[in-house]
């Protein structure tokens, strides 16, 4: 492992990774690197193991979640990096954006996402990112950090068309339920003039646990709205109310028309 990569790992995730070329610590087993001597050209070989499991959301094409993306130590180190750069400083500031050159910790997140997808079972590839997205350079060049206090959420929306297909959202600190609903609901949800009945389809709930990452592309990115309603009564999972604490999320996207 060269000095530059070790520096990135240290800044992004603290000292949980090995500083030598020997065996890596178990906290960093999710990381992978490309091995050019591998007989399968372009196929990465894991040096920390590959315990991440991708779960496709069957009701929505193009939506997948990896619940064990970051270990507890990695989450703490990532939050420390965010705090060091001032993203978590002001209590009144709940959102920060960055365009263009991303900080080392965001580049490392992008790298892990890319290589975890490449290491996934080929039979599940259609549920993650297609090759045209996972192979682009850079994978992401815009980030947004959101901080949600208990009770704070975000209304149903589709991300702006100024961003390309393929979005990743990393969740930290507190669990929450993100609800997905078809874009057509904006039309069919209006009361029909003839009988004044409202027609809406059921929302699809997805639990975002700390350390998880969700990937959205295709239908999930363009044809489904997503929202987080953290008011009492909306944050239930398996008939249990979620104990809400501060939640931090990191969204990674790519601007249209950039190289």
């Amino acid at each position: 492992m060269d000095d530059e990569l070790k520096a990135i790992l240290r800044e992004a995730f603290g000292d949980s990774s090995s500083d030598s070329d020997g065996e890596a610590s178990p906290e960093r087993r999710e990381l992978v690197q490309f091995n050019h001597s591998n007989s399968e050209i372009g196929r990465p070989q894991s040096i920390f193991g590959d315990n991440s499991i991708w779960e496709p959301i069957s009701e929505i094409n193009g939506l997948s979640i990896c619940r064990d993306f970051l270990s507890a130590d990695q989450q703490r180190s990532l939050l420390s990096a965010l705090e060091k750069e001032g993203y978590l400083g002001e209590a009144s500031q709940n959102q920060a954006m960055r365009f263009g050159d991303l900080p080392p910790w965001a580049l490392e997140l992008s790298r892990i996402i890319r290589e975890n997808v490449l290491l996934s079972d080929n039979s599940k590839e259609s549920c993650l990112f297609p090759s045209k997205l996972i192979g682009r350079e850079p994978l992401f060049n815009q980030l947004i950090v959101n901080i949600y206090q208990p009770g704070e959420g975000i209304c149903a929306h589709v991300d702006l068309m100024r961003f390309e297909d393929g979005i990743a959202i990393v969740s930290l600190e507190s669990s929450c339920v993100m609800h997905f609903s078809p874009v057509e609901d904006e039309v069919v949800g209006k009361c029909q003039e003839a009988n004044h009945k409202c027609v809406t389809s059921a929302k699809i709930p997805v639990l975002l646990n700390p350390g998880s990452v969700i990937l959205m592309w295709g239908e999930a990115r363009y044809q489904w709205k997503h929202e987080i309603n953290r008011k009492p009564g909306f944050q239930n999972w398996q008939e249990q109310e979620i104990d809400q604490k501060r939640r931090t999320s990191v969204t990674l996207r790519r601007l249209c028309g950039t190289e």
Side-chain angles (χ1 to χ4, degrees):
M1 187 181 298
D2 58 36
D3 293 339
E4 182 180 0
L5 177 56
K6 286 192 288 187
I8 291 176
L9 296 181
R10 209 162 19 240
E11 181 165 355
F13 296 105
D15 296 322
S16 61
S17 60
S18 173
D19 287 332
S20 68
D21 291 330
E23 182 180 359
S25 62
E27 290 85 357
R28 296 295 298 133
R29 62 180 178 272
E30 291 86 359
L31 288 179
V32 293
Q33 70 176 6
F34 283 96
N35 185 342
H36 297 292
S37 64
N38 194 307
S39 59
E40 187 175 354
I41 298 175
R43 186 69 170 173
Q45 181 183 45
S46 173
I47 61 174
F48 297 103
D50 182 31
N51 295 329
S52 298
I53 298 175
W54 291 95
E55 172 191 338
I57 306 303
S58 59
E59 299 92 340
I60 304 174
N61 292 330
L63 181 64
S64 299
I65 183 169
C66 180
R67 300 192 182 279
D68 60 344
F69 180 66
L70 295 178
S71 69
D73 284 346
Q74 289 170 333
Q75 293 171 54
R76 284 190 290 268
S77 296
L78 179 52
L79 285 167
S80 178
L82 291 172
E83 185 173 11
K84 180 180 178 181
E85 292 195 12
Y87 290 102
L88 310 180
E90 296 292 333
S92 60
Q93 181 178 348
N94 59 8
Q95 186 180 90
M97 294 186 183
R98 182 157 174 171
F99 297 81
D101 294 333
L102 299 183
W105 58 265
L107 294 175
E108 178 64 4
L109 283 177
S110 300
R111 189 181 73 84
I112 302 174
I113 289 172
R114 187 198 302 274
E115 297 181 355
N116 266 276
V117 169
L118 291 174
L119 281 169
S120 67
D121 188 341
N122 285 336
S123 66
K124 299 178 182 178
E125 184 177 359
S126 61
C127 298
L128 302 179
F129 271 14
S131 58
K132 65 180 181 179
L133 295 183
I134 201 63
R136 66 190 179 188
E137 291 291 349
L139 181 57
F140 304 110
N141 61 10
Q142 192 268 348
L143 71 84
I144 179 169
V145 177
N146 282 302
I147 302 170
Y148 303 95
Q149 300 299 333
E152 295 179 344
I154 187 167
C155 62
H157 69 285
V158 173
D159 280 31
L160 297 173
M161 294 301 110
R162 66 185 297 192
F163 299 107
E164 290 186 14
D165 197 1
I167 296 170
I169 303 175
V170 179
S171 292
L172 301 167
E173 298 189 282
S174 179
S175 294
C176 75
V177 177
M178 176 176 282
H179 288 94
F180 290 80
S181 56
V183 171
E184 301 85 69
D185 278 3
E186 294 180 357
V187 177
V188 301
K190 296 180 179 179
C191 291
Q192 298 177 358
E193 294 183 1
N195 52 21
H196 302 285
K197 291 182 179 179
C198 290
V199 180
T200 57
S201 58
K203 295 181 179 181
I204 306 300
V206 178
L207 178 67
L208 308 183
N209 58 284
S212 67
V213 60
I214 61 170
L215 301 181
M216 295 186 291
W217 71 275
E219 290 185 20
R221 188 264 186 266
Y222 294 111
Q223 299 179 30
W224 289 79
K225 299 173 292 182
H226 54 280
E227 65 181 302
I228 298 177
N229 190 335
R230 298 181 84 207
K231 295 180 180 178
F234 289 90
Q235 287 296 307
N236 292 291
W237 187 256
Q238 296 180 345
E239 300 182 353
Q240 295 292 325
E241 183 80 15
I242 292 177
D243 181 19
Q244 294 190 45
K245 299 179 176 64
R246 187 182 74 168
R247 174 179 178 264
T248 298
S249 70
V250 178
T251 300
L252 296 168
R253 303 178 287 200
R254 178 182 164 103
L255 280 166
C256 292
T258 56
E259 298 295 333

